[in-house]
Amino acid sequence: MRKSLVILFAMISAVMLMAIACGSDEADPNATATPAPPNTVPAEQRAAEPTAVPATKAPAASGAGGALTVAAEGETLTFDTASLSATSGSEVTITFDNPSAINSHNLVIVKDGTKDQVATDGTTAGPDANWVAPGDDRVIANTVVLSPGASGEVTFTAPAPGTYQFVCTFPGHNATMFGDFTVN
Ligand code: CU
């Protein structure tokens, strides 16, 4: 009788030990499984960020002053954009590319509504003046005349908020080669 009781106690305690061991084994997978989802969620968020950041940077770079680029559109005597914008008081650099094979161009920032008068006076001033009358107070800034295939840039401080124009004052180009320069 005593031996069977001892064996019974031994079996019971063995089962209890196994139950405890199993209980702790089950707790471990839960402990390691819980941190796993948080690790994968931030990874997905990080993966999504790089595609979102360049998408928002591109419009900001072209709309908030700083570095702007514009080009002549082939041989059509137009610019490849109808509008540029900048922030008042900021230093603006406009890079102007002239991919034309035959036409020379310049880019002149002028007060709103004055592009044709500025071009007419520029024609009088002649090519040595880059087709811009010296001291013309309607002119905010201008590039030199760019030969076919050339590129150049002009840097200036964006003037008071308002609407201005950019125009090519090479004789005959101002009728079609212009756009709005908006200062915010
Ligand atoms: Cu032109």
Side-chain angles (χ1 to χ4, degrees):
M1 292 290 283
R2 280 186 180 177
K3 280 185 182 178
S4 60
L5 278 174
V6 170
I7 291 168
L8 185 61
F9 274 112
M11 288 178 68
I12 289 170
S13 56
V15 168
M16 288 178 70
L17 282 170
M18 285 178 68
I20 291 166
C22 287
S24 62
D25 283 350
E26 284 170 7
D28 285 339
N30 288 341
T32 52
T34 305
N39 284 343
T40 54
V41 171
E44 287 169 6
Q45 287 173 344
R46 289 188 200 113
E49 280 169 7
T51 53
V53 171
T56 55
K57 273 184 180 177
S62 60
L68 302 174
T69 59
V70 60
E73 188 69 65
E75 312 299 346
T76 63
L77 301 187
T78 60
F79 288 108
D80 68 349
T81 183
S83 63
L84 297 171
S85 64
T87 302
S88 181
S90 68
E91 187 177 87
V92 179
T93 296
I94 300 177
T95 300
F96 175 39
D97 297 319
N98 178 16
S100 170
I102 53 174
N103 289 300
S104 293
H105 298 294
N106 67 4
L107 184 150
V108 187
I109 306 290
V110 302
K111 292 179 179 175
D112 192 28
T114 69
K115 71 176 180 67
D116 294 329
Q117 290 80 12
V118 168
T120 297
D121 291 350
T123 296
T124 302
D128 290 346
N130 292 303
W131 305 111
V132 177
D136 190 332
D137 63 8
R138 297 164 299 190
V139 173
I140 309 300
N142 65 279
T143 68
V144 299
V145 172
L146 300 179
S147 302
S151 69
E153 61 181 42
V154 57
T155 298
F156 59 100
T157 301
T163 300
Y164 301 79
Q165 294 174 298
F166 59 94
V167 59
C168 174
T169 61
F170 190 98
H173 293 192
N174 57 292
T176 55
M177 198 165 179
F178 65 94
D180 286 332
F181 181 67
T182 303
V183 179
N184 300 299

